[in-house]
Amino acid sequence: MTQEQMKQRLEENYPNGKIEVFDLTGTQDHWEVYVESSKFAGLSRIQQHQQVMACFGPELKTGEVHALSIKTKIV
């Protein structure tokens, strides 16, 4: 996945959120994402991260996304 594809996927799932995507190694398989959204209200940090990971389920299974570091914030 490209950085733009990662960002677009997150924007689809968190349309009013603040999204940032960083390619950590330049190989397009190690990512750090920051998602700030009101959709996280009432969720634990683990649940927030599980939601974000679910956005990339197929890519995580195939290894297209090898590593995903997640930072979330409730608005």
Side-chain angles (χ1 to χ4, degrees):
M1 296 190 85
T2 66
Q3 188 169 358
E4 187 54 42
Q5 289 171 322
M6 296 279 290
K7 188 171 184 176
Q8 181 179 353
R9 180 89 52 94
L10 289 169
E11 287 172 343
E12 290 170 1
N13 286 277
Y14 303 97
N16 296 319
K18 178 181 177 186
I19 310 289
E20 295 179 16
V21 178
F22 305 97
D23 184 351
L24 297 176
T25 60
T27 57
Q28 296 187 338
D29 64 350
H30 289 71
W31 299 98
E32 179 178 290
V33 298
Y34 173 79
V35 182
E36 193 174 299
S37 175
S38 59
K39 288 179 80 173
F40 297 137
L43 300 178
S44 70
R45 188 164 307 265
I46 290 172
Q47 291 170 319
Q48 295 170 33
H49 289 205
Q50 286 172 333
Q51 267 193 10
V52 173
M53 285 186 69
C55 296
F56 304 104
E59 293 80 10
L60 287 164
K61 285 182 182 177
T62 64
E64 183 178 352
V65 174
H66 176 72
L68 183 60
S69 174
I70 301 169
K71 296 180 180 177
T72 56
K73 183 177 179 181
I74 301 167
V75 179

